[in-house]
Amino acid sequence: MTPTGHYGIYGGQYVAETLMPALQELTAVFEASRTDPAFLAEFHGLLRDYVGRESPLYLARRLTEHCGGARVYLKREDLNHTGAHKINNTLGQGLLARRMQKPRLIAETGAGMHGVATATVAALLGLRCEVFMGCEDIERQAPNVQRMQALGATVTPVSSGTATLKDAMNEALRNWVATVRDTFYVIGTVAGPHPYPAMVRFFQAVIGEEARRQILEKEGRLPDAVIACVGGGSNAMGLFAGFIDDPAVGLIGVEAGGYGLATGKHAASICAGSVGILHGNKTYLLQDDQGQIRNTHSVSAGLDYPGVGPEHAYLHDCGRATYCTIDDREAIAAFDLLCRTEGIIPALESAHALAEAIRRAPTMRPDQILVVNLSGRGDKDMDNVTKARAALAGKQGAA
Amino acid sequence: MNRIDAAFKACRRDRRKALVAFLTAGDPDLDATAEIVPALAAAGADIIELGVPFSDPMADGPTIQESSQRALATGTTLDGILDCVRRLRRQTQVPVVLFSYYNVIFRHGLDRLTAEAAAAGVDGLLLVDVPLEELDEVRPSCRQAGLPLIRLVAPTTPPERIERICRDAEGFVYCITVTGVTGARAALPADLEAELARARAASPVPVVAGFGIASPEMARTVAAHADGVVVGSALVKCLAGPGGRAERIAAGAAFIASLAEALRPTGGNA
Ligand SMILES: Cc1ncc(COP(=O)(O)O)c(C=O)c1O
C-alpha cells in the first residue's frame, strides 16, 4: 500500500471534499496510534478481557471425517463477544474516536453484526450511536435490530435504492458529511476511502496473527490454505494478514454466488465484476455497462454488497489470493452440516467459507490442513435459513 | 475565449453576479432536458450544470436522489446526455458543465468521455467524488481535451488547503456553502463569508457558492461575497412540481428569473 492508500490501481480517497479533512485527521491519528504502546495496550487488554480473545483454533474432527481428506480447523470468531469478528474492528475504531474526542459513532450494517458491535463499543465507551440499516435487512435480521436498540443505539431504516447494505453505507456517508465535526464513522469492513481499508485490516489482523501461532503450536506447520468469506472482506483480510508473507499458504476468499453467477443474482464482485469507484475507493464492483451499480443478491445479508475491499482486488490481480463463489444452496448445506457434525451453528456468511472447505477437503490428503474463518455465529440466521430453504425448494419446483 | 470565461466576463460587464443552474440530465427524460436548458438560459441562467444521474448519489439529499432515480428510470445514459448537449448547441451558447460522480465517467472511459464531451460542446467537468488527492488521475485527459476541471471547496476545508485547491483552478471554483449533502436549506452558516473570501483571494478564476440556496433573498446574501451562486435542489423541485411539462418548465424558468433579478446590481430594490 502507498501512503495515500493505493493498492496498485485500487483504493484511494474518492470522496466529497467535505470529508477530506476528516479523513486526513483520521489517518494521522491512526498512524500515531498503531505504534503507540498505550493505545495498543488498551486495545489488546480489551480484546482479552472484554471480547474474550484469543479465540480458539478448533480441529473439527467429525467434519474432517465426513469430508474425508484435509484436516479442517475452524478459527472461532463466532465465540467473540457479540458473536462475530466485527467487534475487533469496532473496538479499535471506538478507541480512536475517543482519542479524537468525537462523542458520536455512526455505522452502516447489513447482517446487523457490525451494527451490534458498534452499538456495543459505544455503550462500553459512553458514546452516542446511530446505525443505518436497509429496510430489507431490518426485516431479514430482526433479532440484531433489537440488540442494537437494547444497547442504546438508534437504528435508522434506509429505504433508498435497494434498501440493503450499499444503501445503508450511502446514508451513513450522507449523515457523516453533515455531522463530520463531532461524529466518527465506524466502517465495518476493509472498504471505503483510505485509511479505512488499512485501518480495519490492522484491527482485524489479530485473527491471522493468532491463527498462525495456534496452528504452529498444534501442528508444527503452516496450513496449506486459509479460507474466509468475502463481503467487503474484513474477516478475510484479518485472516490473510497472518499468512500473506508465507507464500506456500494459499489464501482463498469466498464470494456470495447467490442464485448462481449465470442468473446475475449474486454478490460476487471479484469473480463477476469490473473495476469502478464506489464508497470512496476504486475496486471491483457489480455494475452495468453505464457504471450504474447493480442489485445484488445473497441469502446472507452480510455478503450482499456490490463492492469489495481494494486490497482484495489487488491480491486477486497479482494472484496472491484466489477468489471463488459459493451459492445460496451450497451455503445452506454447509450450515446444516456444521450444525449436525460439530454442534456449531455458523453465520450464513461464514457458511460460505465452510462450503468451500467442504468442497476442497476431499480432494486433499489427510496430512494437509485447511483453516476456515468461522467469522460469526448463526443465531441471527435461524429464520433466514428456514425461509431460504423454502425459497430454494420453490425455485427447484418451478424449474 | 471559452464559454465559461465569456459568461463571467459578461456578468462583470453588467455588474451582476453569475447564476449557475443545476438540473439532473434526463429528469424526467432527455427531451425535457433539451427543452428546459434553453428556457433557463433565456430566463437568466448564466451557466448550466448538468447532473449525470448515478444509482448511488452519496453526496446528494433526497431531492436530487429522487431526480436521479427518475432520470435513470427513463434510460438516461452518458451517451444520451452528450447527444442532448449536441442538440442544445444548435439553440444556445449557454456554458454547460457536466456534474458527475466519477464511476459513470470512469466506466465510459475518461479519455473517450473528455474528448466526446468537448466535441459535443460541454465546457467543463465537475467530479463530486474526486478530491485534490485523486485529481492527477483525471487531469491529463481533461487537459488533452481542453476541458476545465471545476474544483470544490467545503466549509470543512482548512485555509491552507483552500489555497492549494484554488491555486491552479480552472473555469470557476465551487464553494460548498453547507456541511452536508445537497438540498434546499432555510438558512446558511455564518462562517461562509470567510471560506468565500479565502477562495477568492487564492483563485485565479471566479468563485461561486452553492448547496442549499432556495430563494432570491438567500441568493442575494451569498452573492455579496462571491462571483456567483448555484441553485440546485430548489430548481430540481420546481421542475418536478405539479402540472404538465410546459407548466413545470415555466415554473423553473420563473424561479430562475426571480433569482437572476436578485443578482442584478439593484437586485430586489428596483
Ligand atoms: C459473521 C459475518 N461474517 C462476514 C461478514 C462479511 O463482512 P466481511 O467480508 O467484511 O468480513 C459479516 C458482515 O456482516 C458477518 O456478519
Side-chain angles (χ1 to χ4, degrees):
Chain A
M1 186 194 69
T2 67
T4 51
H6 291 86
Y7 305 80
I9 65 163
Y10 302 109
Q13 294 179 304
Y14 298 90
V15 296
E17 170 60 22
T18 310
L19 293 179
M20 275 311 299
L23 290 176
Q24 290 176 332
E25 185 196 357
L26 176 59
T27 306
V29 172
F30 167 59
E31 287 304 329
S33 305
R34 68 188 293 171
T35 53
D36 174 3
F39 178 85
L40 294 176
E42 184 170 19
F43 177 55
H44 287 287
L46 284 168
L47 283 181
R48 185 188 61 228
D49 300 332
Y50 186 71
V51 175
R53 301 202 73 93
E54 60 183 35
S55 69
L57 183 70
Y58 166 72
L59 173 60
R61 283 180 205 281
R62 292 195 66 226
L63 180 69
T64 297
E65 262 171 44
H66 176 93
C67 294
R71 279 201 294 285
V72 179
Y73 279 87
L74 305 178
K75 180 61 176 160
R76 297 292 307 275
E77 292 299 300
D78 61 315
L79 294 178
N80 292 340
H81 178 43
T82 72
H85 68 292
K86 298 288 183 187
I87 187 103
N88 304 326
N89 168 49
T90 59
L91 191 57
Q93 290 195 48
L95 292 174
L96 286 181
R98 201 183 56 188
R99 255 196 177 203
M100 295 170 77
Q101 299 181 325
K102 306 268 185 188
R104 177 173 175 263
L105 303 182
I106 57 169
E108 83 294 337
T109 198
M113 299 307 273
H114 174 60
V116 167
T118 306
T120 298
V121 165
L124 174 71
L125 300 176
L127 307 171
R128 281 182 290 133
C129 182
E130 180 172 356
V131 180
F132 296 87
M133 189 168 186
C135 289
E136 179 168 334
D137 291 334
I138 285 182
E139 200 159 303
R140 282 199 278 191
Q141 309 283 338
N144 275 341
V145 177
Q146 288 163 1
R147 290 169 80 199
M148 286 182 265
Q149 286 165 342
L151 291 159
T154 305
V155 179
T156 302
V158 176
S159 58
S160 58
T162 53
T164 59
L165 182 53
K166 83 165 168 80
D167 309 286
M169 195 148 177
N170 289 339
E171 214 49 50
L173 279 164
R174 288 181 189 121
N175 184 279
W176 199 34
V177 170
T179 59
V180 58
R181 288 187 170 98
D182 78 341
T183 295
F184 189 109
Y185 181 14
V186 183
I187 295 184
T189 191
V190 286
H194 176 66
Y196 284 97
M199 183 169 68
V200 177
R201 176 208 217 254
F202 177 80
F203 292 132
Q204 291 292 3
V206 64
I207 302 173
E209 285 156 13
E210 284 178 6
R212 189 175 193 281
R213 182 162 30 76
Q214 289 167 316
I215 198 73
L216 286 175
E217 277 166 17
K218 287 181 195 293
E219 292 275 354
R221 58 176 289 249
L222 291 171
D224 294 272
V226 300
I227 306 179
C229 67
V230 176
S234 67
N235 86 90
M237 220 44 247
L239 181 63
F240 291 1
F243 301 94
I244 200 161
D245 294 329
D246 301 308
V249 179
L251 309 177
I252 298 161
V254 185
E255 297 193 306
Y259 293 140
L261 294 193
T263 65
K265 293 188 189 321
H266 57 78
S269 320
I270 293 180
C271 294
S274 54
V275 179
I277 298 96
L278 181 69
H279 295 151
N281 64 119
K282 185 182 287 174
T283 186
Y284 282 102
L285 299 177
L286 293 171
Q287 57 181 331
D288 67 16
D289 60 359
Q290 295 297 319
Q292 307 297 342
I293 306 306
R294 279 188 19 210
N295 291 352
T296 53
H297 163 80
S298 169
V299 66
S300 95
L303 303 184
D304 205 349
Y305 179 69
V308 65
E311 191 170 5
H312 286 294
Y314 176 73
L315 292 176
H316 166 75
D317 281 13
C318 72
R320 176 62 187 97
T322 308
Y323 296 85
C324 57
T325 61
I326 284 292
D327 67 22
D328 287 358
R329 186 185 304 277
E330 295 166 309
I332 288 172
F335 174 96
D336 288 342
L337 187 63
L338 194 72
C339 289
R340 301 205 184 146
T341 55
E342 297 290 346
I344 298 172
I345 301 176
L348 275 176
E349 291 80 12
S350 321
H352 286 72
L354 262 178
E356 181 59 19
I358 293 164
R359 183 152 75 184
R360 280 176 189 249
T363 70
M364 298 168 72
R365 297 186 314 269
D367 62 326
Q368 291 186 296
I369 300 168
L370 290 174
V371 171
V372 177
N373 202 2
L374 205 70
S375 56
R377 66 177 188 224
D379 313 38
K380 69 183 174 65
D381 285 319
M382 298 317 300
D383 262 8
N384 292 324
V385 172
T386 313
K387 280 192 197 124
R389 267 207 201 91
L392 286 171
K395 270 180 129 13
Q396 202 163 35
Chain B
M1 194 186 320
N2 71 44
R3 278 181 288 252
I4 292 176
D5 295 346
F8 282 105
K9 195 171 172 204
C11 289
R12 275 193 301 273
R13 186 196 58 214
D14 303 344
R15 295 190 301 110
R16 63 189 170 86
K17 299 302 169 82
L19 177 56
V20 182
F22 171 96
L23 69 156
T24 307
D27 175 17
D29 57 45
L30 283 167
D31 285 338
T33 305
E35 268 184 65
I36 295 166
V37 170
L40 299 183
D46 296 293
I47 296 175
I48 299 290
E49 282 183 354
L50 268 190
V52 176
F54 180 46
S55 53
D56 294 79
M58 286 151 289
D60 286 299
T63 303
I64 294 176
Q65 286 175 45
E66 286 158 20
S67 171
S68 304
Q69 284 303 319
R70 287 191 297 267
L72 290 174
T74 54
T76 303
T77 64
L78 204 44
D79 281 326
I81 294 169
L82 294 179
D83 260 341
C84 177
V85 174
R86 280 182 209 107
R87 277 159 72 190
L88 284 169
R89 279 291 166 252
R90 289 185 223 124
Q91 306 171 54
T92 171
Q93 291 308 306
V94 68
V96 171
V97 173
L98 275 192
F99 188 108
S100 186
Y101 289 86
Y102 185 30
N103 195 50
V104 182
I105 305 294
F106 178 83
R107 186 76 173 143
H108 192 87
L110 191 57
D111 280 336
R112 192 183 136 206
L113 180 274
T114 47
E116 289 175 359
V122 170
D123 302 291
L125 184 63
L126 192 160
L127 299 173
V128 224
D129 51 356
V130 179
L132 198 55
E133 281 62 24
E134 307 294 345
L135 218 53
D136 282 347
E137 179 176 338
V138 285
R139 216 163 2 187
S141 310
C142 289
R143 284 265 153 83
Q144 177 78 26
L147 208 57
L149 194 54
I150 311 302
R151 300 188 184 189
L152 294 153
V153 165
T156 50
T157 312
E160 165 279 327
R161 186 175 165 86
I162 292 183
E163 268 155 43
R164 276 198 297 139
I165 292 172
C166 293
R167 208 157 40 205
D168 49 354
E170 305 159 358
F172 57 90
V173 169
Y174 189 143
C175 271
I176 300 172
T177 48
V178 295
T179 305
V181 294
T182 57
R185 303 288 201 283
L188 294 175
D191 50 1
L192 178 61
E193 264 184 65
E195 178 195 347
L196 287 168
R198 281 199 191 92
R200 287 176 100 187
S203 170
V205 291
V207 172
V208 304
F211 272 39
I213 293 171
S215 68
E217 293 69 35
M218 279 167 95
R220 189 168 47 241
T221 310
V222 173
H225 311 285
D227 301 302
V229 301
V230 188
V231 61
S233 298
L235 173 62
V236 167
K237 238 183 217 161
C238 230
L239 290 168
R245 176 167 294 186
E247 286 156 286
R248 291 169 172 203
I249 295 175
F255 180 54
I256 286 296
S258 71
L259 294 169
E261 174 59 28
L263 298 180
R264 281 188 237 290
T266 52
N269 302 327

